[in-house]
Coordinates of all heavy atoms in Angstrom, one line a residue:
M1 N 107.0 72.9 70.4 CA 108.2 72.2 70.8 C 109.4 73.1 70.8 O 109.5 74.0 70.0 CB 108.4 71.0 69.7 CG 107.4 69.9 69.8 SD 108.0 68.4 69.0 CE 107.8 69.0 67.3
P2 N 110.2 72.8 71.8 CA 111.4 73.7 71.9 C 112.5 73.4 70.9 O 112.6 72.3 70.3 CB 111.9 73.4 73.3 CG 111.4 72.0 73.6 CD 110.2 71.8 72.8
L3 N 113.3 74.5 70.6 CA 114.4 74.3 69.7 C 115.6 74.0 70.5 O 115.9 74.6 71.6 CB 114.7 75.7 69.0 CG 113.9 76.0 67.8 CD1 114.2 77.4 67.3 CD2 114.1 75.0 66.7
Y4 N 116.4 73.0 70.0 CA 117.6 72.6 70.7 C 118.8 72.9 69.7 O 118.7 72.7 68.5 CB 117.6 71.1 71.0 CG 116.6 70.7 72.1 CD1 115.4 70.3 71.7 CD2 117.0 70.9 73.4 CE1 114.4 70.0 72.7 CE2 116.0 70.6 74.4 CZ 114.8 70.1 74.1 OH 113.9 69.8 75.0
A5 N 119.8 73.6 70.3 CA 120.9 74.0 69.5 C 122.0 73.0 69.5 O 122.4 72.5 70.6 CB 121.4 75.4 70.0
Y6 N 122.6 72.8 68.4 CA 123.8 71.9 68.3 C 124.9 72.6 67.6 O 124.7 73.5 66.8 CB 123.4 70.6 67.6 CG 122.5 69.7 68.4 CD1 121.1 69.9 68.3 CD2 123.0 68.7 69.1 CE1 120.3 69.1 69.1 CE2 122.2 67.9 69.9 CZ 120.8 68.1 69.8 OH 120.0 67.3 70.6
R7 N 126.2 72.2 67.9 CA 127.3 72.8 67.3 C 128.3 71.7 66.9 O 128.7 70.9 67.8 CB 128.0 73.8 68.2 CG 129.3 74.3 67.6 CD 129.9 75.5 68.4 NE 129.1 76.7 68.2 CZ 129.2 77.8 68.8 NH1 130.1 77.9 69.8 NH2 128.5 78.8 68.5
C8 N 128.7 71.6 65.7 CA 129.7 70.7 65.2 C 131.0 71.4 65.2 O 131.2 72.5 64.7 CB 129.4 70.2 63.8 SG 130.7 69.2 63.1
V9 N 132.0 70.8 66.0 CA 133.3 71.4 66.0 C 134.2 70.5 65.2 O 134.5 69.4 65.6 CB 133.8 71.5 67.4 CG1 135.2 72.1 67.5 CG2 132.9 72.3 68.3
A10 N 134.5 71.0 64.0 CA 135.3 70.1 63.0 C 136.7 69.9 63.6 O 137.4 70.9 64.0 CB 135.4 70.8 61.7
G11 N 137.1 68.7 63.6 CA 138.5 68.4 64.1 C 138.6 68.3 65.6 O 139.6 68.0 66.2
G12 N 137.5 68.5 66.3 CA 137.5 68.4 67.8 C 138.4 69.3 68.5 O 138.0 70.5 68.8
S13 N 139.7 68.9 68.7 CA 140.6 69.8 69.4 C 141.0 71.1 68.8 O 141.4 72.0 69.4 CB 141.9 68.9 69.7 OG 142.5 68.6 68.5
A14 N 140.8 71.1 67.4 CA 141.1 72.4 66.7 C 140.2 73.5 67.1 O 140.6 74.7 67.1 CB 141.0 72.1 65.2
G15 N 139.0 73.2 67.5 CA 138.1 74.2 68.0 C 137.4 75.0 66.9 O 136.8 76.1 67.2
L16 N 137.5 74.6 65.7 CA 136.9 75.3 64.6 C 135.4 74.9 64.5 O 135.1 73.7 64.6 CB 137.6 75.0 63.2 CG 139.0 75.5 63.1 CD1 139.7 74.9 61.9 CD2 139.1 77.0 63.1
I17 N 134.5 75.9 64.3 CA 133.1 75.5 64.2 C 132.8 75.2 62.7 O 133.0 75.9 61.8 CB 132.3 76.7 64.6 CG1 132.5 77.0 66.1 CG2 130.8 76.5 64.4 CD1 132.0 78.4 66.6
C18 N 132.3 73.9 62.6 CA 131.9 73.4 61.3 C 130.5 73.9 61.0 O 130.2 74.4 59.9 CB 132.0 71.9 61.2 SG 131.1 71.1 59.9
A19 N 129.6 73.7 61.9 CA 128.2 74.0 61.7 C 127.4 74.3 63.0 O 127.7 73.6 64.0 CB 127.4 72.9 60.9
D20 N 126.6 75.3 63.0 CA 125.7 75.5 64.1 C 124.3 75.2 63.6 O 123.9 75.8 62.5 CB 125.7 77.0 64.6 CG 126.7 77.2 65.7 OD1 127.0 76.2 66.4 OD2 127.2 78.4 65.8
F21 N 123.5 74.4 64.2 CA 122.2 74.1 63.7 C 121.2 73.9 64.9 O 121.6 73.6 66.0 CB 122.1 73.0 62.8 CG 122.7 71.7 63.3 CD1 121.8 70.7 63.7 CD2 124.0 71.4 63.4 CE1 122.2 69.5 64.2 CE2 124.5 70.2 64.0 CZ 123.6 69.2 64.3
E22 N 120.0 74.1 64.6 CA 118.9 73.9 65.6 C 117.9 72.9 65.2 O 117.6 72.8 64.0 CB 118.2 75.3 65.9 CG 119.1 76.3 66.6 CD 118.4 77.6 66.8 OE1 117.6 78.0 66.0 OE2 118.7 78.3 67.8
V23 N 117.5 72.1 66.1 CA 116.5 71.0 65.8 C 115.3 71.2 66.7 O 115.5 71.4 67.9 CB 117.2 69.7 65.9 CG1 116.2 68.6 65.5 CG2 118.5 69.6 65.2
Q24 N 114.1 71.1 66.1 CA 112.9 71.1 66.9 C 112.6 69.7 67.4 O 112.3 68.8 66.5 CB 111.8 71.8 66.1 CG 110.8 72.4 67.0 CD 109.9 73.4 66.2 OE1 109.5 73.1 65.1 NE2 109.5 74.5 66.9
L25 N 112.6 69.5 68.7 CA 112.4 68.1 69.2 C 111.4 68.2 70.3 O 111.2 69.3 70.9 CB 113.7 67.5 69.7 CG 114.7 67.2 68.7 CD1 116.1 67.0 69.3 CD2 114.4 66.0 67.9
A26 N 110.7 67.1 70.7 CA 109.8 67.1 71.8 C 110.6 67.4 73.1 O 111.8 67.1 73.2 CB 109.2 65.8 71.9
M27 N 110.0 68.1 74.0 CA 110.6 68.5 75.2 C 111.2 67.3 75.9 O 110.6 66.3 76.1 CB 109.6 69.2 76.1 CG 110.1 69.6 77.5 SD 110.5 71.3 77.7 CE 109.1 72.2 77.1
G28 N 112.5 67.4 76.3 CA 113.2 66.3 77.0 C 113.7 65.2 76.2 O 114.3 64.2 76.7
S29 N 113.5 65.2 74.8 CA 113.9 64.1 74.0 C 115.2 64.4 73.2 O 115.5 63.6 72.3 CB 112.8 63.7 73.0 OG 112.7 64.7 72.0
A30 N 115.8 65.6 73.5 CA 117.0 65.9 72.7 C 118.2 65.1 73.2 O 118.5 65.1 74.4 CB 117.3 67.4 72.9
P31 N 118.9 64.4 72.3 CA 120.1 63.7 72.6 C 121.3 64.6 72.8 O 121.2 65.8 72.4 CB 120.3 62.7 71.5 CG 119.7 63.4 70.3 CD 118.5 64.2 70.9
S32 N 122.3 64.1 73.5 CA 123.4 65.0 73.8 C 124.3 65.3 72.5 O 125.0 66.2 72.5 CB 124.3 64.4 74.9 OG 124.8 63.1 74.4
S33 N 124.1 64.4 71.5 CA 124.8 64.7 70.2 C 124.0 64.2 69.1 O 123.2 63.2 69.2 CB 126.2 64.1 70.2 OG 126.1 62.7 70.0
L34 N 124.1 64.9 67.9 CA 123.4 64.5 66.7 C 124.4 64.6 65.6 O 125.3 65.4 65.6 CB 122.2 65.5 66.4 CG 120.9 65.4 67.1 CD1 119.9 66.5 66.7 CD2 120.3 64.0 66.8
P35 N 124.1 63.8 64.5 CA 125.1 63.9 63.4 C 125.0 65.3 62.7 O 123.9 65.8 62.5 CB 124.6 62.8 62.4 CG 123.3 62.3 62.9 CD 123.2 62.7 64.3
C36 N 126.2 65.9 62.4 CA 126.2 67.2 61.8 C 125.7 67.1 60.4 O 126.0 66.2 59.6 CB 127.7 67.6 61.8 SG 128.0 69.1 60.8
P37 N 124.8 68.1 60.0 CA 124.3 68.0 58.6 C 125.4 68.3 57.5 O 125.2 68.0 56.4 CB 123.2 69.1 58.6 CG 123.6 70.0 59.7 CD 124.3 69.2 60.7
A38 N 126.5 69.0 57.9 CA 127.5 69.3 56.9 C 128.5 68.2 56.7 O 128.9 67.9 55.6 CB 128.2 70.6 57.4
C39 N 129.0 67.6 57.8 CA 130.1 66.6 57.7 C 129.7 65.3 58.3 O 130.4 64.3 58.0 CB 131.4 67.1 58.3 SG 131.3 67.3 60.1
G40 N 128.7 65.1 59.0 CA 128.2 63.8 59.5 C 128.9 63.5 60.9 O 128.5 62.5 61.5
A41 N 129.8 64.3 61.3 CA 130.4 64.0 62.6 C 129.4 64.3 63.7 O 128.5 65.1 63.5 CB 131.7 64.8 62.8
P42 N 129.6 63.7 64.9 CA 128.6 64.0 66.0 C 128.8 65.4 66.5 O 129.9 65.9 66.8 CB 129.0 63.0 67.1 CG 130.3 62.5 66.7 CD 130.5 62.6 65.3
A43 N 127.7 66.2 66.5 CA 127.7 67.6 66.9 C 127.1 67.6 68.3 O 126.1 67.0 68.6 CB 126.8 68.4 66.0
R44 N 127.8 68.3 69.2 CA 127.4 68.4 70.6 C 126.3 69.4 70.8 O 126.2 70.4 70.1 CB 128.6 68.8 71.5 CG 129.8 67.9 71.3 CD 130.1 66.9 72.5 NE 129.7 67.2 73.8 CZ 130.5 67.6 74.8 NH1 131.8 67.7 74.6 NH2 130.0 67.8 76.0
R45 N 125.4 69.0 71.8 CA 124.3 69.9 72.1 C 124.9 71.1 72.8 O 125.7 71.0 73.7 CB 123.3 69.2 72.9 CG 122.1 70.0 73.2 CD 121.1 69.2 74.0 NE 120.1 70.1 74.6 CZ 119.3 69.7 75.6 NH1 119.4 68.5 76.1 NH2 118.5 70.6 76.2
R46 N 124.3 72.3 72.4 CA 124.7 73.5 73.1 C 123.6 73.9 74.1 O 122.4 73.7 73.7 CB 124.9 74.7 72.1 CG 126.1 74.7 71.4 CD 126.4 76.0 70.6 NE 125.3 76.3 69.7 CZ 124.8 77.5 69.6 NH1 125.3 78.5 70.3 NH2 123.8 77.8 68.7
F47 N 123.9 74.4 75.2 CA 122.9 74.8 76.2 C 122.7 76.3 76.1 O 123.6 77.0 76.4 CB 123.3 74.3 77.6 CG 123.1 72.8 77.7 CD1 124.2 72.0 77.4 CD2 121.9 72.3 78.1 CE1 124.0 70.6 77.5 CE2 121.7 70.9 78.1 CZ 122.8 70.1 77.8
T48 N 121.5 76.7 75.7 CA 121.2 78.1 75.5 C 120.0 78.5 76.4 O 119.3 77.6 76.8 CB 120.9 78.3 74.0 OG1 119.8 77.5 73.6 CG2 122.0 78.1 73.1
A49 N 119.8 79.7 76.5 CA 118.7 80.2 77.3 C 117.4 79.9 76.5 O 117.4 80.0 75.3 CB 118.8 81.7 77.5
P50 N 116.4 79.4 77.2 CA 115.2 79.1 76.5 C 114.6 80.3 75.8 O 114.5 81.4 76.3 CB 114.2 78.6 77.5 CG 114.8 79.0 78.8 CD 116.2 79.2 78.6
N51 N 114.1 80.2 74.5 CA 113.6 81.3 73.7 C 112.1 81.4 74.0 O 111.3 80.9 73.2 CB 113.9 81.0 72.3 CG 113.5 82.1 71.4 OD1 113.3 83.3 71.9 ND2 113.3 81.9 70.1
L52 N 111.8 81.9 75.1 CA 110.4 82.1 75.5 C 109.8 83.4 75.1 O 110.5 84.4 75.1 CB 110.2 81.9 77.0 CG 110.7 80.6 77.6 CD1 110.7 80.7 79.1 CD2 109.9 79.5 77.1
S53 N 108.6 83.4 74.7 CA 108.0 84.6 74.2 C 107.6 85.5 75.4 O 107.0 85.0 76.4 CB 106.7 84.3 73.4 OG 106.0 85.5 73.2
R54 N 108.0 86.8 75.3 CA 107.7 87.7 76.4 C 106.4 88.5 76.1 O 106.0 89.3 76.9 CB 108.8 88.6 76.7 CG 110.1 88.0 77.2 CD 111.1 89.0 77.7 NE 111.3 90.0 76.7 CZ 111.8 91.2 76.9 NH1 112.0 91.6 78.1 NH2 112.0 92.1 75.9
A55 N 105.9 88.4 74.9 CA 104.9 89.3 74.4 C 103.6 89.2 75.2 O 102.9 90.1 75.3 CB 104.6 89.0 72.9
S56 N 103.3 88.0 75.8 CA 102.1 87.8 76.5 C 102.2 88.0 78.0 O 101.2 87.9 78.7 CB 101.5 86.5 76.1 OG 102.3 85.5 76.6
S57 N 103.4 88.2 78.5 CA 103.6 88.2 79.9 C 103.1 89.5 80.6 O 103.1 90.5 80.0 CB 105.0 87.9 80.3 OG 105.7 89.2 80.3
T58 N 102.5 89.4 81.8 CA 102.0 90.5 82.5 C 103.1 91.5 82.7 O 102.9 92.7 82.6 CB 101.4 90.1 83.8 OG1 100.5 89.0 83.5 CG2 100.7 91.2 84.5
A59 N 104.3 91.1 83.1 CA 105.4 92.0 83.4 C 105.8 92.8 82.2 O 106.0 94.0 82.3 CB 106.6 91.2 83.9
Y60 N 105.8 92.1 81.0 CA 106.2 92.8 79.8 C 105.1 93.9 79.4 O 105.5 95.0 79.1 CB 106.3 91.8 78.6 CG 106.9 92.4 77.4 CD1 108.2 92.7 77.3 CD2 106.1 92.6 76.3 CE1 108.7 93.2 76.2 CE2 106.6 93.1 75.1 CZ 107.9 93.4 75.1 OH 108.5 94.0 73.9
R61 N 103.8 93.6 79.6 CA 102.8 94.6 79.4 C 102.9 95.8 80.3 O 102.7 96.9 79.9 CB 101.4 93.9 79.4 CG 101.0 93.3 78.1 CD 99.6 92.8 78.1 NE 99.5 91.5 78.7 CZ 98.7 91.2 79.8 NH1 97.9 92.1 80.3 NH2 98.7 90.0 80.3
L62 N 103.2 95.5 81.6 CA 103.4 96.6 82.6 C 104.5 97.5 82.2 O 104.4 98.7 82.2 CB 103.6 96.0 83.9 CG 103.9 97.0 85.1 CD1 102.7 97.8 85.3 CD2 104.3 96.2 86.3
I63 N 105.7 96.9 81.7 CA 106.8 97.7 81.3 C 106.4 98.6 80.1 O 106.7 99.7 80.0 CB 108.0 96.8 81.0 CG1 108.5 96.1 82.3 CG2 109.1 97.5 80.3 CD1 109.4 95.0 82.1
E64 N 105.7 97.9 79.2 CA 105.3 98.7 78.0 C 104.4 99.9 78.3 O 104.6 101.0 77.8 CB 104.5 97.7 77.1 CG 105.4 96.8 76.2 CD 105.8 97.5 74.9 OE1 105.0 97.6 74.1 OE2 107.0 97.8 74.9
S65 N 103.4 99.7 79.2 CA 102.5 100.7 79.5 C 103.2 101.8 80.3 O 102.9 103.0 80.2 CB 101.3 100.2 80.2 OG 101.6 99.8 81.5
T66 N 104.1 101.4 81.2 CA 104.9 102.4 81.9 C 105.7 103.3 81.0 O 105.8 104.5 81.2 CB 105.8 101.7 83.0 OG1 105.0 100.8 83.8 CG2 106.5 102.7 83.8
Q67 N 106.4 102.7 80.1 CA 107.2 103.5 79.1 C 106.3 104.4 78.3 O 106.7 105.5 78.0 CB 108.0 102.5 78.2 CG 109.1 101.8 78.9 CD 109.8 100.8 78.1 OE1 109.3 100.4 77.1 NE2 111.0 100.4 78.5
R68 N 105.1 103.9 77.9 CA 104.2 104.7 77.0 C 103.7 105.9 77.8 O 103.7 107.0 77.3 CB 103.1 103.9 76.6 CG 102.7 104.1 75.1 CD 101.6 103.2 74.7 NE 101.7 101.8 75.1 CZ 100.8 101.2 75.8 NH1 99.8 101.8 76.3 NH2 101.0 99.9 76.1
S69 N 103.3 105.7 79.1 CA 102.7 106.8 79.9 C 103.8 107.8 80.3 O 103.4 108.9 80.8 CB 102.0 106.2 81.1 OG 102.9 105.6 82.0
A70 N 105.1 107.5 80.3 CA 106.1 108.4 80.6 C 106.1 109.6 79.7 O 106.4 110.7 80.1 CB 107.5 107.7 80.7
S71 N 105.9 109.4 78.4 CA 105.9 110.5 77.4 C 104.6 111.0 77.1 O 104.4 112.1 76.8 CB 106.7 110.0 76.2 OG 106.1 108.8 75.7
E72 N 103.5 110.1 77.1 CA 102.2 110.5 76.8 C 101.2 110.0 77.8 O 100.7 108.9 77.7 CB 101.7 110.0 75.4 CG 102.9 109.7 74.4 CD 102.4 108.9 73.2 OE1 101.3 108.5 73.2 OE2 103.3 108.7 72.4
P73 N 101.1 110.7 78.9 CA 100.1 110.2 80.0 C 98.7 110.1 79.5 O 98.3 110.9 78.7 CB 100.2 111.3 81.1 CG 101.5 112.1 80.8 CD 101.7 112.0 79.3
A74 N 98.1 109.1 79.9 CA 96.7 108.9 79.5 C 95.8 110.0 80.1 O 95.9 110.3 81.2 CB 96.2 107.5 79.9
V75 N 94.9 110.6 79.2 CA 94.0 111.6 79.7 C 92.7 111.0 80.3 O 92.1 110.1 79.6 CB 93.6 112.6 78.5 CG1 92.6 113.6 78.9 CG2 94.9 113.2 78.0
V76 N 92.4 111.4 81.5 CA 91.2 110.9 82.2 C 90.2 112.1 82.3 O 90.6 113.1 82.9 CB 91.6 110.3 83.5 CG1 90.3 109.8 84.3 CG2 92.6 109.2 83.4
R77 N 89.0 112.0 81.8 CA 88.0 113.0 81.8 C 87.0 112.8 82.9 O 86.3 113.8 83.2 CB 87.4 113.2 80.4 CG 88.4 113.5 79.4 CD 87.7 114.1 78.1 NE 88.6 114.2 77.0 CZ 89.5 115.2 76.9 NH1 89.5 116.2 77.7 NH2 90.3 115.3 75.9
S78 N 86.8 111.6 83.4 CA 85.8 111.4 84.4 C 86.4 110.3 85.3 O 87.2 109.5 85.0 CB 84.5 111.0 83.8 OG 84.7 109.8 83.1
P79 N 85.8 110.3 86.6 CA 86.2 109.2 87.5 C 85.9 107.8 86.9 O 85.0 107.7 86.2 CB 85.5 109.5 88.8 CG 84.6 110.6 88.6 CD 84.8 111.1 87.2
V80 N 86.7 106.9 87.3 CA 86.5 105.5 86.9 C 85.1 105.0 87.4 O 84.9 105.2 88.6 CB 87.6 104.6 87.3 CG1 87.4 103.2 86.9 CG2 88.9 105.1 86.8
P81 N 84.2 104.5 86.6 CA 82.9 104.1 87.2 C 83.1 103.0 88.3 O 84.0 102.2 88.2 CB 82.2 103.5 86.0 CG 83.0 104.0 84.8 CD 84.3 104.3 85.2
G82 N 82.3 103.1 89.3 CA 82.3 102.2 90.4 C 83.2 102.5 91.5 O 83.3 101.8 92.5
T83 N 83.9 103.7 91.4 CA 84.8 104.1 92.5 C 84.1 105.3 93.2 O 83.3 106.0 92.7 CB 86.2 104.6 91.9 OG1 85.9 105.7 91.0 CG2 86.9 103.5 91.3
R84 N 84.5 105.5 94.5 CA 83.9 106.5 95.3 C 84.4 107.9 94.8 O 85.6 108.0 94.4 CB 84.2 106.3 96.7 CG 83.4 105.1 97.3 CD 83.8 104.9 98.7 NE 85.2 104.4 98.8 CZ 85.8 104.3 100.0 NH1 85.3 104.5 101.1 NH2 87.1 103.9 100.0
P85 N 83.6 108.9 95.0 CA 84.1 110.2 94.6 C 85.3 110.7 95.5 O 85.3 110.3 96.7 CB 82.9 111.2 94.7 CG 81.9 110.4 95.5 CD 82.2 108.9 95.4
A86 N 86.1 111.5 95.0 CA 87.3 112.0 95.8 C 86.8 112.8 97.0 O 85.8 113.6 96.9 CB 88.2 112.8 94.9
G87 N 87.5 112.8 98.1 CA 87.1 113.6 99.2 C 86.3 112.8 100.2 O 86.3 113.1 101.4
N88 N 85.6 111.8 99.8 CA 84.8 110.9 100.7 C 85.6 109.7 100.9 O 85.4 108.6 100.3 CB 83.5 110.6 100.0 CG 82.5 110.0 101.0 OD1 82.8 109.9 102.2 ND2 81.4 109.5 100.5
M89 N 86.6 109.8 101.9 CA 87.5 108.7 102.0 C 87.0 107.6 102.9 O 87.4 106.5 102.8 CB 88.8 109.3 102.7 CG 89.5 110.4 101.9 SD 89.9 109.8 100.2 CE 91.3 108.7 100.6
T90 N 86.0 107.9 103.7 CA 85.5 106.8 104.6 C 84.0 106.9 104.7 O 83.4 108.0 104.5 CB 86.1 107.0 106.0 OG1 85.5 106.0 106.9 CG2 85.9 108.4 106.6
T91 N 83.3 105.8 105.0 CA 81.9 105.8 105.1 C 81.5 105.5 106.6 O 80.3 105.5 106.9 CB 81.3 104.6 104.3 OG1 81.9 103.4 104.6 CG2 81.4 104.9 102.8
N92 N 82.5 105.4 107.5 CA 82.2 105.2 108.9 C 81.7 106.5 109.5 O 82.4 107.5 109.5 CB 83.5 104.8 109.6 CG 83.2 104.4 111.0 OD1 82.3 104.8 111.7 ND2 84.1 103.5 111.5
P93 N 80.4 106.6 110.1 CA 79.9 107.9 110.6 C 80.7 108.4 111.8 O 80.7 109.6 112.0 CB 78.5 107.5 111.0 CG 78.4 106.0 111.0 CD 79.5 105.5 110.2
L94 N 81.4 107.6 112.5 CA 82.2 108.1 113.6 C 83.3 108.9 113.2 O 83.8 109.8 113.9 CB 82.7 106.9 114.4 CG 81.7 106.0 115.2 CD1 82.3 104.8 115.8 CD2 81.0 106.8 116.3
H95 N 83.8 108.7 112.0 CA 84.9 109.5 111.5 C 84.5 111.0 111.2 O 85.4 111.8 111.2 CB 85.5 108.9 110.2 CG 86.1 107.6 110.4 ND1 86.5 106.7 109.4 CD2 86.5 106.9 111.6 CE1 87.1 105.6 109.9 NE2 87.1 105.7 111.3
R96 N 83.2 111.3 111.1 CA 82.7 112.6 110.9 C 82.9 113.5 112.1 O 83.0 114.7 112.0 CB 81.3 112.7 110.5 CG 81.0 112.0 109.1 CD 79.7 112.3 108.5 NE 79.5 111.5 107.3 CZ 78.6 110.6 107.1 NH1 77.6 110.5 108.1 NH2 78.5 109.9 106.0
K97 N 83.0 112.9 113.3 CA 83.2 113.6 114.5 C 84.7 114.0 114.8 O 85.0 114.7 115.7 CB 82.7 112.8 115.7 CG 81.2 112.5 115.7 CD 80.8 111.6 116.8 CE 79.3 111.3 116.7 NZ 78.9 110.3 117.6
L98 N 85.6 113.4 114.0 CA 87.0 113.7 114.2 C 87.3 115.2 113.9 O 86.6 115.8 113.0 CB 87.8 112.8 113.3 CG 87.9 111.3 113.7 CD1 88.5 110.5 112.6 CD2 88.6 111.1 115.0
P99 N 88.3 115.8 114.6 CA 88.6 117.2 114.3 C 89.0 117.4 112.8 O 89.7 116.5 112.3 CB 89.7 117.5 115.3 CG 90.2 116.2 115.7 CD 89.1 115.2 115.6
R100 N 88.6 118.5 112.3 CA 89.0 118.8 110.9 C 90.0 120.0 110.8 O 89.9 120.9 111.7 CB 87.7 119.3 110.1 CG 86.6 118.3 110.2 CD 86.3 117.8 108.8 NE 85.5 116.6 108.9 CZ 85.5 115.6 108.1 NH1 86.3 115.7 107.0 NH2 84.8 114.5 108.2
P101 N 90.8 120.0 109.9 CA 91.7 121.2 109.7 C 90.9 122.4 109.3 O 89.9 122.3 108.6 CB 92.7 120.7 108.6 CG 92.0 119.7 107.9 CD 91.1 119.0 108.8
D102 N 91.3 123.6 109.7 CA 90.6 124.8 109.4 C 90.8 125.3 108.0 O 91.9 125.1 107.4 CB 91.0 125.9 110.4 CG 90.5 125.6 111.8 OD1 89.4 125.0 111.9 OD2 91.2 125.8 112.7
Ligands
ZN11 ZN1 130.3 69.2 61.0

């Protein structure tokens, strides 16, 4: 369930923050105001960026592996199994008749 952030502003127009608190509620069920746990006055909901986990995203893993390989490139001792050997770029026999560089 997402966390919803609320802020109680004591005195309203004074602009002083009485309490900041977060409540875990079902998605879409957060009211626009909740009673403040410190003073009981209605605290307005704050709109914050969703706190989504980036740890499992493909983009995050790509960034991680790019940063790692920048300082310590991965050592490859043999071709990746299932790939064609280097130099044999095409299997079309007509391509063998093409002129070759000397
Ligand atoms: Zn308060």
Side-chain angles (χ1 to χ4, degrees):
M1 286 195 290
L3 276 177
Y4 292 95
Y6 289 85
R7 172 171 288 173
C8 172
V9 181
S13 58
L16 296 167
I17 296 166
C18 163
D20 268 336
F21 59 101
E22 291 177 330
V23 186
Q24 205 163 39
L25 294 163
M27 178 105 45
S29 73
S32 60
S33 73
L34 277 179
C36 168
C39 68
R44 303 253 337 247
R45 184 176 160 197
R46 284 193 301 137
F47 287 90
T48 55
N51 186 18
L52 301 174
S53 171
R54 294 190 309 157
S56 63
S57 82
T58 307
Y60 189 71
R61 272 187 278 125
L62 176 64
I63 292 166
E64 281 274 287
S65 71
T66 305
Q67 286 173 346
R68 221 179 314 118
S69 66
S71 56
E72 332 167 357
V75 176
V76 178
R77 299 195 189 281
S78 62
V80 178
T83 57
R84 287 179 294 174
N88 190 9
M89 301 300 287
T90 175
T91 55
N92 188 331
L94 293 174
H95 292 170
R96 294 198 187 117
K97 296 176 182 170
L98 289 171
R100 304 242 165 212
D102 293 322

